[in-house]
Amino acid sequence: MADAPARSIGFAPEVTPETRVLILGSLPGVASLAAGQYYAHPRNAFWPVMGQLVGVDLPSMPYSERVAALKAKGFGLWDVLASAERSGSLDAAIRSPEAADLVGLVSGLPQLHTVAFNGAAAAKIGRRILKDLPERTRLVDLPSSSPAHARPLAEKSAAWRAALFGSQDVGTTGG
């Protein structure tokens, strides 16, 4: 009988009291866990997409500066799962998940108006956890930035821009 996969433990949330848009993934993958960074896989489209949306060349910056730039634009990052057993990085391989305290985090973000789910797995889990959010908080499903969900970068960026901003570019206001 094969050994059970190791338990992956997620990262702390990257937020400030001024966070207006919280982007939630499922759980960091192998490359991210190894690097200790959100969206560390070199083919993950997250940093290029967000860079296009906020008008900052995020991929060229050191990780700590990328995160600081997103926070300055009113964005926060976290995951819907605090931990899970998983072989590899695919969401389909997640077993024995433990939910993150999303309700606790969201309740401490007074300016939050949008929670966005990066991919279908994050949306399925996160929407269930956050089903009783105040109406002022919009829930948005985004196409996955994962390299496992191949779409051209321009297509992902356009879909994220439409879902997050619509006609109002909130990512570049107030920061």
Side-chain angles (χ1 to χ4, degrees):
M1 179 162 58
D3 291 337
R7 189 149 197 93
S8 297
I9 309 294
F11 304 135
E14 293 285 359
V15 296
T16 70
E18 293 76 33
T19 297
R20 297 182 303 277
V21 178
L22 179 62
I23 299 175
L24 298 171
S26 55
L27 185 70
V30 173
S32 293
L33 291 169
Q37 302 176 0
Y38 283 102
Y39 304 105
H41 192 287
R43 289 192 343 255
N44 191 298
F46 180 81
W47 294 110
V49 166
M50 288 305 297
Q52 288 180 7
L53 298 185
V54 301
V56 177
D57 185 11
L58 296 173
S60 71
M61 303 169 111
Y63 178 74
S64 62
E65 292 177 22
R66 287 184 217 169
V67 172
L70 277 188
K71 288 179 178 180
K73 297 287 187 177
F75 287 91
L77 300 174
W78 205 24
D79 290 302
V80 296
L81 296 177
S83 70
E85 293 175 0
R86 178 168 64 183
S87 293
S89 297
L90 296 177
D91 288 341
I94 290 174
R95 302 289 180 263
S96 304
E98 175 194 352
D101 183 13
L102 299 179
V103 173
L105 179 68
V106 166
S107 68
L109 299 173
Q111 295 186 36
L112 185 72
H113 59 69
T114 302
V115 175
F117 303 106
N118 183 357
K124 181 179 178 183
I125 297 164
R127 282 183 174 278
R128 188 172 61 242
I129 295 168
L130 296 173
K131 66 184 182 310
D132 296 324
L133 273 185
E135 285 192 26
R136 69 173 176 83
T137 308
R138 186 173 67 116
L139 301 180
V140 175
D141 297 358
L142 302 169
S144 177
S145 65
S146 168
H149 298 277
R151 284 173 87 173
L153 181 61
E155 190 178 316
K156 284 186 182 184
S157 292
W160 279 48
R161 180 177 298 282
L164 290 174
F165 305 141
S167 61
Q168 177 185 7
D169 200 356
V170 296
T172 59
T173 61

